[in-house]
Amino acid sequence: MATSRKPFPIRYIPFGLCIIGAIVSFGALELHHQVIYVLILFSALTLIGFYDLFQTKTAILRNYPVIGHLRFLLEYIRPEIRQYFIEGDNDETPFSKEQRTLVYSRAKAVPDQIPFGTSLDVMAPGYQWINSSLAPTRLPSHDFRIEIGGKDCTKKYSASIFNISAMSFGSLSANAVMALNLGAKKGGFAHDTGEGSISIYHRVHGGDLIWEIGSGYFGCRNSDGSFNKEKYAENALDPQVKMVEIKLSQGAKPGHGGILPGSKVTVEIAEARGVNVGEACISPASHSAFSTPLELMYFIKDLRDLSGGKPVGFKLCIGHPWEWFGIVKAMLETNIYPDFIVVDGSEGGTGASPVEFTNHVGTPLQEGLRLVHNTLVGVNLRDHIKIGCAGKIISAFDMAVAFALGTDWCNSARGFMFSIGCIQAQVCNTGFCPTGVTTQDPLRQKALVVPNKAERVYNFHRETLKTLKELVEAAGLHHPGEIETPHIIRRINKNEVRLLSYLLPEMPAGLLLKGEHIDPSLNLPRVFELYWNKAQAKSFAALKD
């Protein structure tokens, strides 16, 4: 069978021209002695190019020898010009310059202090802060951990409160997966596989895995795409797998399936996902293993039993509130609880998603997380189920706000992507990622040197938790879990601020079990009054009036 020959990468053309220029100018020395200056220039550029190819710290320079220096040159130009050329002349980039600088600084373990105070507009509506204490605490460690596992879990997991969010092999390159997992191994935190299942690259370094199972049941599927118990058990019993997460919906595109075209399904991707090479990889919009809240609970029980008692939970972006309430009612009816729930905010990202879904479908993290927390409090299940969250969480203060809203731990995707070199080129779905993070091109991803980037993953995790520790100390607390809504203040307008506890009040414990009318003075969202009694455990549909 004939094989297609890959063309010479055009990104190497500037380097190639430097080499040609050096050779030509050397040959012309006998004719014109002044050509020596041209020779020196091209020789210097050639040496720089060879250095770029073999250095291991910067993926951009390995993929773009010589010409890649133009990007870094722009970083030394005036901020206004840098803003225009690097970040665009608008405010629509996914993350701000300050956020990226924060991650890069922590990943490289260099100081992230800035002069002249904050660049944020503290008088702008939406600005938030955490109150400090005149009696700050002093904590011995930044390694905050929680135990995940409910009443039916026999293999509870001691997890870091900051972990790598779901990103699949196939979306990420092999080198990116290995760098993330090695960093997680070194730092003692967890690495979510994404719904693409467990690849050989997840296993190289042995870092803790959260195995995400989506509607395509990759890694545990029959040939027709249905769930396969035997294949599931084989992966779930692996000691490297610490928890199992059912993906009900994804913040970036809730209610939408996905497809990996057959042309992108390589031998390694096919092996990890349990599909045929060259065959389109389809994730349906909904699951086939269950169709009601009750069936979901029994599915959770089966997965927990087949895994040998490991924590099993699910991830969702809140949509119709009666569907979420129906799941909670199914927990009460069956006495089967998930060990954890991960709330994904609609502001979360992905390599490729329909624009309308990215912008206008699903509930943002703040509202989704608070609803899940309050509902579990209202049925006296909050102490039995841990809550994780994801959705543009980058900084320690982002985490502090999430803890105030009710989370037990935080996941970050793009924060860790930044730590391994992502520059937000926003070509994730094209295969032309300039830093080798989101490409299957072996030459491009070779630029991402695993040991170097793994160290940055480890640094970013450590430095972020160190800063969170300092925030907790400054507030006079002893653990991030003690941060509550009264600790966070939000500006409403130039003349008004409000405690987050006033804007997002706490549900009284057990209130939903009493069947009483919700007192308006509690200031709770009307969603409970409108939809709690319409939810049913036997169906995701709402009861009709």
Side-chain angles (χ1 to χ4, degrees):
M1 183 176 65
T3 57
S4 60
R5 187 172 182 178
K6 290 187 177 181
F8 179 78
I10 60 174
R11 63 184 184 277
Y12 291 147
I13 288 178
F15 177 41
L17 291 175
C18 292
I19 297 175
I20 294 173
I23 295 172
V24 171
S25 57
F26 179 78
L29 268 179
E30 294 184 1
L31 299 177
H32 302 283
H33 292 294
Q34 290 185 344
V35 177
I36 185 66
Y37 300 109
V38 179
L39 174 62
I40 292 173
L41 173 63
F42 280 114
S43 297
L45 291 174
T46 300
L47 290 174
I48 289 172
F50 278 113
Y51 169 79
D52 292 343
L53 284 174
F54 292 103
Q55 57 82 34
T56 60
K57 290 186 176 181
T58 306
I60 291 178
L61 296 181
R62 284 169 67 87
N63 269 333
Y64 296 86
V66 180
I67 197 174
H69 287 276
L70 290 176
R71 179 184 185 275
F72 298 104
L73 180 63
L74 289 173
E75 292 187 354
Y76 291 97
I77 301 177
R78 288 174 57 87
E80 295 86 352
I81 299 179
R82 181 173 70 238
Q83 174 76 19
Y84 182 84
F85 281 101
I86 298 179
E87 298 159 14
D89 58 354
N90 57 61
D91 297 324
E92 297 180 0
T93 48
F95 286 98
S96 69
K97 176 186 67 179
E98 287 81 6
Q99 288 173 311
R100 293 198 300 273
T101 300
L102 184 72
V103 176
Y104 295 152
S105 298
R106 289 177 179 170
K108 296 176 183 179
V110 298
D112 58 7
Q113 292 91 346
I114 58 172
F116 295 104
T118 180
S119 61
L120 302 177
D121 183 358
V122 300
M123 300 302 290
Y127 175 76
Q128 298 183 129
W129 69 92
I130 184 170
N131 274 341
S132 58
S133 170
L134 290 177
T137 55
R138 288 293 174 264
L139 307 181
S141 173
H142 63 272
D143 186 25
F144 302 112
R145 308 194 76 81
I146 57 166
E147 186 176 77
I148 303 175
K151 61 184 180 63
D152 298 318
C153 178
T154 59
K155 294 182 178 178
K156 294 177 172 59
Y157 177 52
S158 176
S160 169
I161 63 167
F162 190 38
N163 300 292
I164 301 171
S165 196
M167 295 180 283
S168 300
F169 169 60
S171 297
L172 298 187
S173 68
N175 283 22
V177 169
M178 288 190 289
L180 290 171
N181 195 256
L182 179 57
K185 174 72 172 179
K186 182 174 181 180
F189 54 100
H191 178 191
D192 193 311
T193 65
E195 68 173 312
S197 194
I198 308 168
S199 71
I200 56 175
Y201 301 107
H202 287 97
R203 302 184 189 277
V204 172
H205 299 293
D208 290 354
L209 294 178
I210 300 171
W211 181 21
E212 183 178 270
I213 298 175
S215 57
Y217 305 114
F218 301 127
C220 55
R221 59 185 267 138
N222 296 308
S223 58
D224 63 355
S226 59
F227 178 70
N228 183 297
K229 288 187 176 183
E230 290 73 25
K231 292 180 180 178
Y232 166 79
E234 183 179 348
N235 270 328
L237 291 171
D238 186 329
Q240 191 180 351
V241 174
K242 303 301 181 184
M243 303 200 300
V244 177
E245 175 185 284
I246 305 165
K247 190 186 89 168
L248 299 183
S249 60
Q250 174 181 351
K253 48 181 179 180
H256 191 280
I259 180 170
L260 183 66
S263 60
K264 294 186 177 182
V265 180
T266 64
V267 173
E268 293 166 324
I269 292 175
E271 181 183 356
R273 300 195 179 200
V275 298
N276 297 322
V277 177
E279 180 181 291
C281 223
I282 299 174
S283 297
S286 60
H287 281 259
S288 61
F290 55 87
S291 59
T292 69
L294 289 173
E295 290 176 358
L296 171 59
M297 292 304 109
Y298 294 124
F299 187 59
I300 288 172
K301 181 181 184 303
D302 285 345
L303 296 191
R304 187 187 291 122
D305 292 342
L306 291 168
S307 72
K310 293 180 181 180
V312 175
F314 58 83
K315 177 177 81 174
L316 84 166
C317 177
I318 293 294
H320 294 312
W322 60 82
E323 295 178 347
W324 157 243
F325 291 157
I327 292 173
V328 176
K329 287 186 174 182
M331 297 178 198
L332 297 172
E333 185 171 323
T334 62
N335 198 33
I336 299 171
Y337 311 150
D339 296 291
F340 63 91
I341 298 169
V342 175
V343 182
D344 203 4
S346 62
E347 60 268 54
T350 183
S353 175
V355 174
E356 299 282 8
F357 274 76
T358 300
N359 292 339
H360 301 294
V361 181
T363 303
L365 178 59
Q366 172 183 280
E367 286 72 22
L369 177 56
R370 197 61 177 167
L371 178 65
V372 169
H373 169 77
N374 271 339
T375 307
L376 295 181
V377 170
V379 295
N380 290 333
L381 289 182
R382 185 61 184 89
D383 292 338
H384 299 277
I385 301 170
K386 291 293 190 292
I387 298 177
C389 72
K392 280 193 174 180
I393 292 177
I394 293 290
S395 67
F397 182 73
D398 292 338
M399 294 179 66
V401 174
F403 276 100
L405 294 172
T407 197
D408 291 303
W409 86 87
C410 299
N411 295 333
S412 178
R414 273 181 287 190
F416 283 102
M417 284 180 68
F418 289 166
S419 74
I420 58 175
C422 171
I423 60 170
Q424 284 188 290
Q426 294 181 274
V427 291
C428 309
N429 58 324
T430 67
F432 295 110
C433 175
T435 57
V437 176
T438 62
T439 179
Q440 297 306 306
D441 184 327
L443 193 58
R444 282 181 178 270
Q445 65 174 292
K446 188 178 179 181
L448 195 159
V449 180
V450 172
N452 175 270
K453 302 304 183 185
E455 186 68 20
R456 294 188 179 186
V457 171
Y458 166 74
N459 289 340
F460 173 58
H461 178 268
R462 180 192 62 199
E463 296 302 317
T464 301
L465 286 185
K466 280 185 177 180
T467 303
L468 180 62
K469 168 179 172 286
E470 292 172 349
L471 291 178
V472 171
E473 291 173 333
L477 306 174
H478 297 85
H479 189 278
E482 296 178 12
I483 302 175
E484 297 180 340
T485 47
H487 294 105
I488 307 295
I489 299 87
R490 179 179 298 165
R491 180 169 294 284
I492 306 303
N493 56 52
K494 289 188 176 182
N495 301 311
E496 292 181 282
V497 299
R498 290 284 189 275
L499 291 175
L500 209 57
S501 56
Y502 176 84
L503 299 172
L504 300 168
E506 178 94 359
M507 167 76 73
L511 179 64
L512 295 176
L513 296 176
K514 297 176 182 179
E516 300 174 356
H517 178 72
I518 296 177
D519 188 344
S521 66
L522 294 174
N523 199 30
L524 291 169
R526 290 199 65 208
V527 64
F528 295 103
E529 180 183 347
L530 292 173
Y531 298 118
W532 175 254
N533 290 329
K534 291 185 178 182
Q536 52 183 332
K538 64 181 182 180
S539 173
F540 284 113
L543 290 168
K544 297 186 182 298
D545 293 327

